[in-house]
């Protein structure tokens, strides 16, 4: 199987697995069901992944990797066009929202798995999460160094808070306020960034 074809097959398996597991849970989802949903033979699953656990672990790597790349591109686009580091953080917030709208089932799984401690892939999940947060942390650190944000900010903690804020706010939006547009949600989170993180105030 060629590399391109194998990647396409893996994409099908990821999509099938994430949908099924979101619907009925990891334990209840079988390899047979994943294969059927993906439209491939059961043997194809085992050709690409050693086990269901291995498939799910790689799914987490793949999904969080896509999010990390999206955040990096958003920040890079802003800075290349002369925007500030705070503008780059704002662009990352929107990129995170766009990702969650595009991959809602994966986001739900990711957030749920963060709270579990008995999974064989917990170390992998922790590692890929840190890679994503590190992208935010880098831009925050640059903003502090450039004087755009207060030097009193705890950069690692604030990066984690911003990352978590986008995830939780987006899931809440999708579940309880789906009538709102992405622009509305982005504007609200942007105001938190501009007013709470940068310390900016508005006139009474």
């Amino acid at each position: 199987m060629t590399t391109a074809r194998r990647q396409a097959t893996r994409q099908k398996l990821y999509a099938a697995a994430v949908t099924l597991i979101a619907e009925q849970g990891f334990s209840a989802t079988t390899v047979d069901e994943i294969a059927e949903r993906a439209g491939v033979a059961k043997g194809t699953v085992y050709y690409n992944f050693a086990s269901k656990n291995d498939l799910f672990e790689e799914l987490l790597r793949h999904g969080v990797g896509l999010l990390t790349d999206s955040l990096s591109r958003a920040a890079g686009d802003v800075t290349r066009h002369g925007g500030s580091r705070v503008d780059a953080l704002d662009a990352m917030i929107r990129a995170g929202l766009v990702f969650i709208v595009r991959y809602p089932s994966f986001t739900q799984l990711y957030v749920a798995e963060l709270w579990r401690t008995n999974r064989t892939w917990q170390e992998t999940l922790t590692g890929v999460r840190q890679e994503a947060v590190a992208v935010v942390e880098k831009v925050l650190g640059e903003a502090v160094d450039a004087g755009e944000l207060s030097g009193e900010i705890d950069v690692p903690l604030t990066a984690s808070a911003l990352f978590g804020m986008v995830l939780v706010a987006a899931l809440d939006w999708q579940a309880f306020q789906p009538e709102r547009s992405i622009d509305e949600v982005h504007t609200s989170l942007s105001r938190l960034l501009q007013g709470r993180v940068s310390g900016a105030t508005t006139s009474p």
Side-chain angles (χ1 to χ4, degrees), residues 56-65 106 110 121 125 128:
F56 192 65
E57 185 169 352
E58 289 304 313
L59 168 62
L60 290 172
R61 288 183 188 275
H62 173 71
V64 180
F106 173 79
Y110 169 76
W121 51 75
L125 183 59
V128 294

Side-chain angles (χ1 to χ4, degrees), residues 83-155:
S84 69
R85 299 302 190 281
V86 172
D87 290 335
L89 289 168
D90 187 55
M92 293 167 87
I93 287 175
R94 187 173 186 90
L97 293 173
V98 169
F99 176 89
I100 292 163
V101 169
R102 186 174 181 183
Y103 304 107
S105 294
F106 173 79
T107 306
Q108 291 168 18
L109 280 181
Y110 169 76
V111 172
E113 288 300 316
L114 283 176
W115 296 101
R116 300 182 189 275
T117 58
N118 61 342
R119 300 299 205 190
T120 59
W121 51 75
Q122 193 64 38
E123 185 175 341
T124 294
L125 183 59
T126 300
V128 294
R129 174 199 168 276
Q130 186 51 44
E131 289 174 10
V133 173
V135 174
V136 182
E137 188 174 328
K138 178 178 181 295
V139 178
L140 266 173
E142 291 172 349
V144 170
D145 291 342
E148 294 179 32
L149 297 177
S150 169
E152 297 179 358
I153 287 175
D154 184 323
V155 172

Side-chain angles (χ1 to χ4, degrees), residues 20-56:
L20 284 165
I21 294 169
E23 289 173 355
Q24 58 195 33
F26 177 79
S27 298
T29 300
T30 67
V31 172
D32 285 328
E33 289 174 319
I34 293 172
E36 182 180 358
R37 181 69 66 92
V40 302
K42 182 178 179 179
T44 301
V45 179
Y46 288 115
Y47 177 79
N48 285 274
F49 304 99
S51 65
K52 187 176 73 170
N53 276 7
D54 183 49
L55 166 56
F56 192 65

